[in-house]
Amino acid sequence: MGYKKTVLFGASALFVLFSMPVMADAKADLARAEEIVAGRCFLCHGLEGESASAVFPRLAGQHSEYIAKQLSDFKSGKRKSDTMKPQAEELTPPEMKALGTFFENKTAKPRAAKDAELLAVGKFVFNRGNQFSGLPACSSCHGAKGYGTPMLPRLAGQHPRYIEDQLKQFNKRERTNDNAVMHTIASKLSELETHAVAEYIATLD
């Protein structure tokens, strides 16, 4: 075996060797996340993050970083929730991260369209906003498909009821742990626009 091949072989062996603990840790974290989901999260959010009720958010496909941040905020009280605070209180940062990764890897499914005229209004608001009220397009931050970013939530496929509830909380300043821009945006939405955009978001895939 030539010198270069020996060096390459040695480097590859070292890479595999040092990667093994990382892989083992990742598997352990995933196993712990599955244990937590099966023990408590599934009651509201479902085993696959599909959500058991429109009151609770779908977590499937949500950004792992965003989920971990929300859990941390629930734990600290920065985001108020009598339901989530006791669920998050005993979670460690690694467990929050693992739960985020677990749900992010699940497949999010869109909701079937029902009212074509209402969806048309929602699509317009989502993509273009309302220049007369100064409402910006939702897509300007959350993306044309509602996929969001690690710091901004994925909206695509979310329950309409949950979206409406959160917009109302932003409007009343009851939710303050996320981007304060949402307070202004929510205040500019009419009741019809809120309902329509929530219905449209649910159909995004």
Side-chain angles (χ1 to χ4, degrees):
M1 183 181 294
Y3 175 75
K4 289 184 178 180
K5 289 184 178 180
T6 302
V7 171
L8 289 172
F9 177 79
S12 298
L14 285 172
F15 176 78
V16 172
L17 182 64
F18 286 113
S19 296
M20 288 176 65
V22 176
M23 294 170 65
D25 287 345
K27 287 183 178 180
D29 289 343
L30 179 59
R32 176 56 182 153
E34 290 177 343
E35 180 183 352
I36 295 172
V37 171
R40 63 180 88 169
C41 306
F42 84 97
L43 291 170
C44 297
H45 300 288
L47 287 172
E48 299 293 314
E50 73 278 14
S51 181
S53 166
V55 176
F56 307 116
R58 288 177 171 172
L59 299 180
Q62 187 59 266
H63 298 287
S64 59
E65 296 91 337
Y66 186 78
I67 290 177
K69 179 185 182 300
Q70 298 308 305
L71 288 171
S72 177
D73 287 352
F74 282 129
K75 180 176 182 175
S76 68
K78 190 175 181 180
R79 181 173 177 182
K80 308 296 182 183
S81 173
D82 293 336
T83 301
M84 281 303 302
K85 183 171 178 57
Q87 300 300 325
E89 277 181 334
E90 296 181 0
L91 294 176
T92 65
E95 287 174 335
M96 294 177 187
K97 183 178 178 180
L99 283 168
T101 301
F102 173 86
F103 284 117
E104 183 177 39
N105 290 329
K106 299 301 179 181
T107 302
K109 298 179 181 179
R111 182 171 178 265
K114 293 184 178 180
D115 187 329
E117 292 182 347
L118 186 64
L119 288 177
V121 174
K123 182 177 182 180
F124 186 94
V125 171
F126 187 87
N127 290 307
R128 299 177 61 179
N130 184 339
Q131 62 176 323
F132 300 104
S133 64
L135 176 70
C138 307
S139 60
S140 62
C141 290
H142 294 280
K145 294 186 176 182
Y147 290 168
T149 70
M151 298 306 295
L152 295 173
R154 174 195 171 104
L155 302 179
Q158 190 56 266
H159 281 304
R161 165 71 184 278
Y162 181 76
I163 291 291
E164 288 193 58
D165 286 347
Q166 296 310 299
L167 287 172
K168 289 175 182 177
Q169 286 186 30
F170 277 122
N171 188 25
K172 295 177 181 178
R173 304 297 196 272
E174 292 175 353
R175 180 169 173 180
T176 58
N177 74 306
D178 272 336
N179 198 332
V181 172
M182 282 303 302
H183 297 154
T184 302
I185 292 173
S187 70
K188 293 180 181 296
L189 283 162
S190 69
E191 188 173 349
L192 172 62
E193 289 171 334
T194 299
H195 185 57
V197 80
E199 288 290 331
Y200 174 69
I201 283 169
T203 67
L204 294 175
D205 185 4

